[in-house]
Amino acid sequence: MIRRKGLTSVELAKLAGVSSATISRAFSNDPAIKPETRERVLALAAEHGFRPNAMARSLNNSRSRLVALVVNTVANPAEAEGLDLLIHRLQERELMPLLLCCANHEDRGHLMRIASTYQVDHVVLYSDAVSVDDALDIFRSATLIVASSEPLEGRDLFDVRLDASAATAQIVDHLVGQGRRHFVYLSGRASSHIDKQRMRWFADALERHGMAFEIVEHGDYSYESGYKEAVLLLRRLRPDVLVCANDLMAIGAQDAATLLGLKIGADLAIVGHDGVSLSNWDSHSITTVMPPHGVISDALIELIERPPTAPPEQHVVNCIVRWRQSTGPAPR
Amino acid sequence: MIRRKGLTSVELAKLAGVSSATISRAFSNDPAIKPETRERVLALAAEHGFRPNAMARSLNNSRSRLVALVVNTVANPAEAEGLDLLIHRLQERELMPLLLCCANHEDRGHLMRIASTYQVDHVVLYSDAVSVDDALDIFRSATLIVASSEPLEGRDLFDVRLDASAATAQIVDHLVGQGRRHFVYLSGRASSHIDKQRMRWFADALERHGMAFEIVEHGDYSYESGYKEAVLLLRRLRPDVLVCANDLMAIGAQDAATLLGLKIGADLAIVGHDGVSLSNWDSHSITTVMPPHGVISDALIELIERPPTAPPEQHVVNCIVRWRQSTGPAPR
DNA sequence: TCTAACAATGTACACGCTTACATTTTCACG
DNA sequence: CGTGAAAATGTAAGCGTGTACATTGTTAGA
C-alpha cells in the first residue's frame, strides 16, 4: 500500500500551464476566471485526483467549514435521532461535523479547547452537556449556537429554544377532558434544566384547570428506573395519569402498570417525552411530547448560514404531540 | 459579542521575550527546551488564552489528528452504542472524530472527498456504509481501518474482523441440548454481508449437529417487520427457535409470539443480534449475539496508534453471548 | 489606428505554525 | 581560566492555499 501524497495546486498549475492562482480561482467559483479555463482546470484536477487542501485553505481565509457539535452521547436515541438529521443537513451544505461527546468525559473543557484549535466556524450546543458560559469562553472566535429548552434571557445569543407549553397543554386538556384528575410526574433528574422545564409546562397546563400534580423524583431516565418507580408509586398514589421525563421511563412504567393489572389508556394514561422511534412500537405505544427534529435542524442551519456580522437571533420551536394508545383514543 | 481572534505564536513569543520557535517547542514537548522556559511559556499562554492553531500545525507536519468515522447513521443504536465508545477512546487520546453519516446520503463519494480534504490521518470504516475500494480510492493519504464481519481475504488491510462463530455455536448447542430441532432465521436484508455472515455462522453451528434451518427473507431490521413476519411464519412453520438478524426484529417477533399465545423461552426460543441495550429490558429479555464494543474499540485504537510505516495488521474479535430469558434458563 | 476600459491571468505575500540549521549560552573539566 | 561539547535558543524557510495588486490580452468607441 503506497501512501502517496496528492499533488499541490502549484504542481497542478504547472501541468495545466497556468499559475496556482488560476487553480484557486477554478475551485472557488471566482467569476474572474474564463469558463473554459475553469473547465479545463477542473477536468485536469479530476484526472489527477487533485483536491485543494482544506487546512491550507482555512489557514488564510479563516473559514474552516467545520462545525463542532457538542452532545452528551450518541448512544441515547433521544439525542441521536435529532442529531442524525442535523448532521445530514450539514453534510448537504458541505459543512463538516466535528463531534464532541461529553458524557463520561471528565474534562469537557479540555475537549472543547482541543476542538477550538481546529478553528471551527460554528459550535452547536446540542444538549445540556456543557454550560453556555464555558463554551463561550473557550470558543472565542467561533459563533455559538445553542439548542436548548432553557430560557437564556438577555444573553443575546444565537439560539433555538424548544417550547413544549402548547403540546403539553394539549395533552393535559385531553386527559382532563377524559375525566382524569390525579396526575403524577416521574422525574428523570429533577435538577436538570430540561426536567424542570417539563415540570413547569405541566404545572402551567394543569393550573389552567385549577389542578396540580405530584412529583416523584427518583428516576434516572432509564427503562429500569421507570419500571421500578412505577411499581412503587402506582401502589402508593393510584394516579390516573403518569407523566414521565422521557420515553424510556414511560415504557418501563407501562410494563410495570401492565404487570399490576392496570389497563393502559383506560385505568392509567401514560405520557412520555422525546418521541424516540421506539415509543411507537406495537408493544408499547406511548403518547409523547416530541421536539420537531426537522424544524430544529432547519433553524440551526439558518443560524449557521447567517453572515458572521448579523446580530444574534432567537428561534422558538414548538414541540408536537404524538398521540398514541397510552392516552386512550386520540382527540378528534 | 466581540469576536476577537486569539493571538498567534509570534505575538506570544514577543510577550514572553522569546522566539516563536520556543513557543512551538513548549507546546510540542520538545526535549530541547529548558523546563523552566517551558513552564513560563505555558503559563503565559494559559494567561492569554493562547492555543496553537491546528490548521497551521498540521499544514506543515502533515499530521492532523483527525479521524474520519464512516458510519451509516447514529440514529441506530446497534451502530451508535459501539461508536460512542470508540469516540470516547479517540477523545481520550486527543484525536478528533470527523463523522460521516452515509445513510440517506446519495453521494457518499462526495462526502468522503470533502472529508479527505481535511487531511485526516485515519479513516475508520465502522459500518458497511461504503465499499473498501471506494474509501481506499478517495482517502489516498490516510490509513484505512476497516471494522466489519466481512472476510477481506488477501486485501492486506488494517482491519478488525468480527467473528460470531463461537458465540453462535454456543447458542445452538444450548438450544439443541434443550431438545429443539426446528430452527428458522429471519433475515434483515439477505443481500447484506453481515446477514450472510450471520446465516453462515448459524448454518455451520447447526451442521455440526447434522441439522439445518429455514430462512425467511422478508425482514428489514425494523421492529415492525419482526412483528409482521413472525406472525406469518409462526403460523406457517411452527419452529421452536427463531433467530433474528437483529435485536429490534427479535423484539418484534417476541411481541408477535406472545400475542399468539406462545411462551417465550419454552414453546419458542428467540435469538437476536447486536446486543443493543434495549434487548435487556424486563419486558423482552432477548438472548443475543453481541459484538464486544470495548474490545473492538481497543483494537481499532491500537491500529490507529500504530506507526504509519508498520505493515497492515488484522485483528479477529469474537462476539459474545448475552444469555437472557428468551432462550429459557441460561446454561450452567 | 489609438486609447480606455474591462476581462483574464500572473506575481508575491500572508496565514500561523514546525523544523533544519545556525547561533549563543552553559558548564564540566583539564 | 580556557576550551569544547552539550544544552538552549534564534533564524528563516517552508507547508499549500487565497487574494490584493500588477500585468497582459481583448474589445469598443472615436
Side-chain angles (χ1 to χ4, degrees):
Chain A
M1 188 189 316
I2 300 153
R3 296 192 36 174
R4 46 173 160 174
K5 293 190 57 96
L7 31 65
T8 74
S9 63
V10 251
E11 292 170 327
L12 188 72
K14 212 153 288 170
L15 289 174
V18 298
S19 80
S20 76
T22 300
I23 306 292
S24 171
R25 284 191 267 259
F27 276 90
S28 55
N29 283 34
D30 192 322
I33 196 178
K34 183 152 59 171
E36 302 124 56
T37 325
R38 207 182 101 91
E39 294 311 318
R40 198 162 54 81
V41 167
L42 292 184
L44 201 69
E47 182 186 338
H48 290 265
F50 168 83
R51 255 155 305 137
N53 183 323
M55 296 302 201
R57 173 184 298 216
S58 48
L59 179 56
N60 65 3
N61 68 4
S62 44
R63 270 169 286 129
S64 64
R65 302 194 70 77
L66 289 174
V67 178
L69 304 181
V70 182
V71 307
N72 266 313
T73 163
V74 296
N76 176 10
E79 230 169 309
E81 291 183 6
L83 189 63
D84 189 66
L85 203 57
L86 176 59
I87 290 175
H88 189 66
R89 295 266 207 285
L90 290 172
Q91 290 178 162
E92 281 175 343
R93 287 158 179 79
E94 311 203 342
L95 294 169
M96 263 295 150
L98 216 55
L99 203 58
L100 311 204
C101 293
C102 292
N104 315 325
H105 220 281
E106 65 300 336
D107 196 349
R108 291 119 196 252
H110 189 226
L111 211 55
M112 291 198 286
R113 264 182 287 273
I114 294 174
S116 77
T117 272
Y118 288 87
Q119 315 300 112
V120 299
D121 293 339
H122 304 274
V123 180
V124 179
L125 253 49
Y126 199 79
S127 61
D128 59 346
V130 300
S131 82
V132 172
D133 289 309
D134 287 354
L136 271 176
D137 192 44
I138 290 172
F139 291 103
R140 279 249 163 273
S141 55
T143 71
L144 184 69
I145 298 167
V146 183
S148 79
S149 54
E150 173 187 8
L152 304 157
E153 332 107 358
R155 295 299 304 271
D156 231 32
L157 294 162
F158 292 84
D159 79 274
V160 174
R161 191 152 47 79
L162 253 55
D163 188 338
S165 56
T168 306
Q170 277 180 51
I171 294 178
V172 166
D173 293 352
H174 178 63
L175 294 175
V176 170
Q178 287 177 339
R180 301 181 190 273
R181 291 296 175 268
H182 191 170
F183 288 71
V184 168
Y185 185 92
L186 177 51
S187 154
R189 187 157 31 91
S191 61
S192 83
H193 289 300
I194 182 72
D195 243 48
K196 277 187 195 150
Q197 272 296 342
R198 287 172 178 176
M199 285 191 258
R200 170 156 299 286
W201 285 320
F202 261 97
D204 290 349
L206 277 168
E207 199 173 354
R208 287 209 295 270
H209 294 277
M211 300 165 61
F213 65 100
E214 292 181 64
I215 302 175
V216 173
E217 292 199 345
H218 307 294
D220 65 0
Y221 294 124
S222 71
Y223 171 90
E224 284 75 16
S225 82
Y227 187 96
K228 204 177 62 181
E229 294 306 322
V231 169
L232 296 175
L233 77 84
L234 289 175
R235 289 218 169 98
R236 188 162 55 87
L237 300 172
R238 301 241 159 241
D240 48 15
V241 177
L242 178 56
V243 180
C244 297
N246 71 347
D247 291 334
L248 258 64
M249 285 173 61
I251 293 170
Q254 163 163 335
D255 284 351
T258 303
L259 195 83
L260 294 180
L262 294 175
K263 195 154 181 321
I264 307 300
D267 304 333
L268 177 70
I270 294 181
V271 176
H273 279 92
D274 295 336
V276 296
S277 62
L278 58 84
S279 68
N280 197 23
W281 290 355
D282 295 2
S283 59
H284 41 240
S285 166
I286 306 281
T287 293
T288 183
V289 177
M290 182 177 184
H293 298 306
V295 178
I296 295 170
S297 293
D298 287 344
L300 290 172
I301 290 289
E302 203 180 313
L303 294 180
I304 286 174
E305 288 185 331
R306 206 140 289 262
T309 56
E313 186 175 308
Q314 286 79 39
H315 286 215
V316 175
V317 169
N318 286 310
C319 290
I320 55 181
V321 181
R322 293 291 191 203
W323 294 106
R324 307 272 168 69
Q325 295 169 24
S326 70
T327 48
R332 235 188 326 159
Chain B
M1 187 188 322
I2 299 152
R3 296 190 35 171
R4 48 174 158 169
K5 292 191 58 96
L7 30 66
T8 73
S9 63
V10 247
E11 291 170 327
L12 187 72
K14 210 153 290 169
L15 289 173
V18 298
S19 79
S20 75
T22 301
I23 306 292
S24 170
R25 284 191 267 257
F27 275 91
S28 54
N29 281 35
D30 192 322
I33 196 178
K34 182 154 58 172
E36 302 123 57
T37 327
R38 206 183 102 92
E39 295 311 319
R40 198 163 53 83
V41 167
L42 291 184
L44 202 70
E47 182 186 336
H48 291 265
F50 168 83
R51 256 154 304 136
N53 183 322
M55 296 302 202
R57 171 183 296 212
S58 48
L59 180 57
N60 61 9
N61 68 6
S62 41
R63 269 169 287 129
S64 63
R65 302 194 70 79
L66 289 174
V67 179
L69 303 181
V70 182
V71 308
N72 267 312
T73 164
V74 296
N76 176 9
E79 231 169 310
E81 292 183 5
L83 189 64
D84 189 64
L85 203 57
L86 176 59
I87 290 175
H88 188 68
R89 295 267 206 285
L90 290 172
Q91 289 178 161
E92 281 175 343
R93 287 159 179 78
E94 311 204 342
L95 294 169
M96 264 295 152
L98 217 55
L99 202 58
L100 311 204
C101 292
C102 291
N104 315 325
H105 219 280
E106 65 299 336
D107 196 349
R108 291 121 195 249
H110 190 227
L111 210 55
M112 291 197 287
R113 263 182 288 273
I114 294 172
S116 78
T117 272
Y118 288 86
Q119 316 301 112
V120 298
D121 293 339
H122 303 275
V123 180
V124 178
L125 253 51
Y126 199 78
S127 62
D128 59 346
V130 300
S131 80
V132 171
D133 289 310
D134 287 354
L136 271 176
D137 193 44
I138 291 172
F139 290 102
R140 279 248 163 273
S141 56
T143 70
L144 183 70
I145 298 167
V146 183
S148 79
S149 56
E150 172 187 7
L152 303 157
E153 331 108 356
R155 293 300 302 272
D156 232 30
L157 295 162
F158 291 83
D159 79 275
V160 174
R161 190 152 50 78
L162 254 56
D163 187 338
S165 55
T168 306
Q170 276 179 52
I171 295 179
V172 165
D173 293 352
H174 178 63
L175 294 175
V176 169
Q178 287 178 337
R180 301 180 189 274
R181 292 296 176 266
H182 192 171
F183 288 71
V184 168
Y185 186 93
L186 177 51
S187 154
R189 187 155 31 88
S191 61
S192 84
H193 289 299
I194 182 73
D195 242 50
K196 277 187 195 150
Q197 272 295 342
R198 287 172 177 175
M199 286 192 259
R200 169 155 299 284
W201 285 321
F202 261 98
D204 290 349
L206 277 168
E207 199 173 355
R208 287 208 293 271
H209 295 276
M211 300 166 61
F213 65 98
E214 292 181 64
I215 302 176
V216 173
E217 294 200 343
H218 306 295
D220 65 0
Y221 293 124
S222 71
Y223 171 91
E224 284 76 16
S225 81
Y227 187 97
K228 205 176 64 179
E229 294 306 323
V231 168
L232 296 176
L233 77 83
L234 288 175
R235 289 217 170 97
R236 190 162 53 87
L237 298 172
R238 301 241 158 242
D240 48 14
V241 176
L242 178 56
V243 180
C244 297
N246 71 348
D247 291 334
L248 260 63
M249 286 174 62
I251 293 169
Q254 163 164 332
D255 284 351
T258 304
L259 195 85
L260 294 180
L262 294 175
K263 194 151 182 324
I264 307 299
D267 304 334
L268 177 69
I270 294 181
V271 176
H273 279 92
D274 294 336
V276 296
S277 63
L278 58 83
S279 68
N280 197 23
W281 289 355
D282 296 2
S283 60
H284 42 240
S285 167
I286 305 282
T287 293
T288 182
V289 177
M290 182 176 184
H293 297 306
V295 178
I296 295 171
S297 293
D298 287 344
L300 290 171
I301 291 289
E302 203 179 312
L303 294 180
I304 287 174
E305 287 186 331
R306 206 138 288 262
T309 55
E313 185 175 310
Q314 285 80 40
H315 286 214
V316 174
V317 169
N318 286 310
C319 291
I320 54 181
V321 181
R322 293 290 190 204
W323 295 107
R324 307 271 168 68
Q325 295 168 23
S326 70
T327 47
R332 235 188 322 162

